[in-house]
Amino acid sequence: MLSMLLLSGVTDMAAQTFKLSGDLRGMLAEDAADARWEHGRLTRSTSDSQSRLSLIMKVTDARQMAQVCDDYGMRMVTDLGHIAVVDVPVGQIVKAAADPRVVRMEKEGGFHYCLDEARKTANVNPVANGDNPLPQAYTGQGVVVGVLDGGMQYNHPTFFDANGQTRFRKVWDFDDNDGQMKPVVLTDAANILARKYSYSTCNGVGATNHASHVAGIAAGSGRYRGIAPECDILFADVALNPLSEQAYELYSDFLLTGVKNMSDYATEHQQPLVVNISLGNNLGFSTETKLLQEAFGLLTGPGRIIVAANGNEGNPEESNSYFHSGSNLKESINFRGRTMPMCYDILWKTGGPLSFSLEIWIGDQYNKETFSTAQLTDGMFPTMERSAYKMNFMQLDDAPDGKHIYKLRITPKDTNRSFDITASVAGEQSFEVFCKMLNIASADPAEGCTFSTAYTSGVPGVFPNVVAVGNYCNRVLPDEYYFSEEYGKMVTDVQPGVMNPSSSWGPTWDGRNKPDVSAPGSIISSGNWYNPNNKDEAVETYDIEGSDAKETWACQSGSSQASPTVAGIVALWLQAKPDLTPDEVFNVIKNTSHAIEPIPNNHSGAGIIDAYAGLCNILGLTANIPSLSKNQPEHVTFRLAGNVLYADGAEEGTLVTVYSLSGTVLQHTTVQQGRISLNDCKKGVYAIQLGKLGSTLIRL
């Protein structure tokens, strides 16, 4: 069998074992006698000679990459020099890993949309952005916003410009090829609009609208205005193929290729770029995405910013995902969940050996498994095939503190059944546990132990060069109130003004704080494709004259919604300073966000992002005009008409000071009949101080 040959090869390579990431080793060890990998997913074939797999590979010297590819029959997919995404024959992977020119080969799965379904909302009066009004001078014009996501409606009016033209500049999508996904790239506006919907909306798992909602928050220009409504838009569909055996898996090589493609476009057109990734994979304290982290470092820099959702697995009342045994060396830990068509990972971290005795219930089926870390051969334990599940156990790369990390993966064969595991664990040293998609329900003894949702921040947000965004709760829906007999009135467990309970927690595997910042992500209105089967999800739907499409809007919540809020704000900042670097973005965030808890922390980061204060900081106004307010006036709306600035809501006679961006006072005046005359100002950008109420920026 192919699996036996591959596993034999891994065993023979011994010291080369950990050149392969954990998920990649798991793939090679699985029973694949009649299967092949195509486009990163497992599909059936009668010929193993056709088996190929795309993955991320690093070589010692970029000059050797082409020769390594040629030697092992690889095809280049995405080239970053000494790191590349390559398409490789499965039978050549182990041989290539033994080559001293190859440093590492990596393919990690499990990425999913960061949308908290429990807080999805409908039929409410929505807000446009959920944050303060943005400066009038900046709308994202000239900046590219890339969206790497699944489920887009290309002809939604929120993605049109003022002339009714699409703002999509390039799209990476798929066509259906007899049940298989065939990549397609579109650059012609007419072809993009004619497509109407992306592959994952029409053919993918769940017929998702996720990307439309996310992109509308960052870049929408329609009825519910997004953050950067005049930016250019790039989109790569992250399709979940229901016909694939790995239907719910997204892989790291796909993310890398998507970001690289967008970076290449921005370079070709000499535009600044911010990429939003409302996808994530909670790897806990695993370090298995080393190459993806390094590659993302190569793709960020001046005018190249990546923003990512931090995740929605942070509510300890719903699920504890992290456990520390304290001084206890023996524990009985109970895990509970519900089977779905996906795998469940439990990570174990300790400085010494561990032994396990598992009692596994899936529905009414019971099995007992007994094994230990001492039984691993070159970091692998043979796949355990049972009637109700498949189980793998392996050692991953050691943690930065030198402790060992082990991964137990269970893949149920039936769906929607109760999933209960009791693990009796014994170790020579204390141990930590992190699990994905399962709840750590209890432990015995519980004394001295720690339960929490630590380490739930997602990849790629945990990377040091990526801005990770937490979900700040800015609104409460009427249906989230209930009558309390105790208090005799309507109350709610959802509190505005604090972090949403679902927002994920850091730290990262190497102890860094995440998320970096937080933004409104609760009950946000944005573009939504029209789904006649889910009309109740829509806030508003109406026909578009002369079109068979409908303009549809919906409220949704999660770090998926918070992340594009920040990405849109970064687009505004990039318009002001096109060569803005990730370090500068981090510094602006730290210096201008509104902290809601002590800093540093692993919950809200620097606090709530402030688009206006950050823009003032980037433009140097903080240093040039110390007296300038760092906030826009409340209850005052600005609009320009020629050289007249209307300040609707401002009191008659309010003092006005007009500054150049260098800090020079150009004009003292007052509000007269709601107007501010700027006849003495030439074309340019100016800071307007409105008494003690606040300030704004305008462009004449």
Side-chain angles (χ1 to χ4, degrees), residues 197-385:
Y197 305 109
S198 69
Y199 179 90
S200 56
T201 301
C202 301
N203 305 92
V205 173
T208 180
N209 66 291
H210 195 265
S212 295
H213 202 267
V214 166
I217 294 171
S221 59
R223 191 175 185 88
Y224 297 106
R225 190 177 177 88
I227 306 296
E230 293 188 354
C231 68
D232 296 338
I233 305 172
L234 303 177
F235 172 65
D237 195 33
V238 181
L240 296 169
N241 188 348
L243 300 177
S244 164
E245 291 196 1
Q246 303 296 315
Y248 286 83
E249 290 280 359
L250 303 174
Y251 289 98
S252 52
D253 53 293
F254 189 95
L255 296 185
L256 176 54
T257 296
V259 175
K260 177 62 163 58
N261 287 338
M262 292 176 179
S263 180
D264 288 346
Y265 174 93
T267 299
E268 178 185 352
H269 291 81
Q270 299 182 351
Q271 291 178 275
L273 167 73
V274 55
V275 177
N276 182 81
I277 303 178
S278 286
L279 306 168
N281 183 14
N282 309 109
L283 294 182
F285 29 68
S286 166
T287 64
E288 291 296 286
T289 52
K290 295 175 181 177
L291 291 189
L292 186 63
Q293 176 172 312
E294 185 177 348
F296 269 34
L298 298 174
L299 293 172
T300 54
R304 299 291 182 270
I305 312 297
I306 300 175
V307 179
N310 199 55
N312 304 310
E313 285 76 42
N315 192 345
E317 293 185 4
E318 294 183 0
S319 176
N320 283 298
S321 53
Y322 174 77
F323 169 81
H324 196 300
S325 68
S327 59
N328 300 330
L329 302 183
K330 293 184 178 180
E331 286 286 347
S332 179
I333 308 170
N334 181 246
F335 304 88
R336 292 177 184 169
R338 199 80 184 169
T339 61
M340 294 289 288
M342 62 180 68
C343 56
Y344 298 84
D345 290 343
I346 304 176
L347 302 182
W348 310 82
K349 179 180 176 183
T350 184
L354 293 174
S355 61
F356 301 87
S357 179
L358 305 184
E359 295 185 353
I360 303 174
W361 284 92
I362 295 182
D364 57 359
Q365 297 190 54
Y366 170 81
N367 286 87
K368 187 171 184 178
E369 308 280 3
T370 303
F371 55 95
S372 71
T373 58
Q375 294 175 276
L376 293 171
T377 301
D378 295 328
M380 292 287 294
F381 193 80
T383 298
M384 292 161 270
E385 191 82 34

Side-chain angles (χ1 to χ4, degrees), residues 20 32 60 70 104-105 224 230 245 306 311 328 405-406 428 488 516 535 544 642 674 687:
L20 306 180
T60 56
D70 187 60
R104 181 175 171 84
M105 304 174 83
Y224 297 106
E230 293 188 354
E245 291 196 1
I306 300 175
N328 300 330
I405 299 176
Y406 303 95
E428 293 182 0
D516 301 294
K535 293 180 181 179
I544 304 171

Side-chain angles (χ1 to χ4, degrees), residues 67-83:
Q67 188 60 53
V68 170
C69 289
D70 187 60
D71 289 347
Y72 297 101
M74 301 176 183
R75 295 194 293 259
M76 179 70 70
V77 178
T78 302
D79 186 5
L80 279 77
H82 65 295
I83 296 177

Side-chain angles (χ1 to χ4, degrees), residues 624-663:
N624 295 338
I625 317 174
S627 60
L628 189 73
S629 299
K630 305 307 183 295
N631 62 283
Q632 291 197 324
E634 294 184 6
H635 312 302
V636 176
T637 302
F638 294 103
R639 52 192 175 90
L640 270 172
N643 275 46
V644 175
L645 176 64
Y646 288 85
D648 300 331
E651 292 185 5
E652 189 77 2
T654 300
L655 294 175
V656 177
T657 305
V658 182
Y659 296 92
S660 69
L661 296 189
S662 63

